């Protein structure tokens, strides 16, 4: 359930989120996903050392 984001979703729905805060959160989440994907690609291509 945690992997699917269910708990995070429940927490987020407990209070009102202003549209500007929602946009900022979504932008931060997208940036985090993009960085994670870039890091995985770099490890796969051998540009940086993996675990």
């Amino acid at each position: 359930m945690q992997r699917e984001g269910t708990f995070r979703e429940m927490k987020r729905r407990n209070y009102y989120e202003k549209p500007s805060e929602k946009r900022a959160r979504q932008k931060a989440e997208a940036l985090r996903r993009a960085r994670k994907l870039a890091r995985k690609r770099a490890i796969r291509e051998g540009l940086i050392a993996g675990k």
Side-chain angles (χ1 to χ4, degrees):
M1 284 176 75
Q2 189 171 358
R3 183 176 287 175
E4 295 170 3
T6 308
F7 294 121
R8 194 178 310 128
E9 182 78 18
M10 287 188 326
K11 266 186 170 179
R12 209 170 42 86
R13 288 175 184 253
N14 280 337
Y15 61 94
Y16 178 73
E17 186 175 28
K18 289 171 35 178
S20 60
E21 292 173 346
K22 185 176 181 180
R23 277 192 305 272
R25 179 183 49 78
Q26 288 175 338
K27 190 174 182 179
E29 288 173 356
L31 189 61
R32 196 169 21 253
R33 282 192 306 269
R35 283 185 179 155
K36 185 175 183 179
L37 182 62
R39 188 169 47 247
K40 283 187 173 188
R41 274 197 196 124
I43 290 171
R44 199 176 313 125
E45 293 173 1
L47 299 175
I48 59 174
K51 291 183 180 178

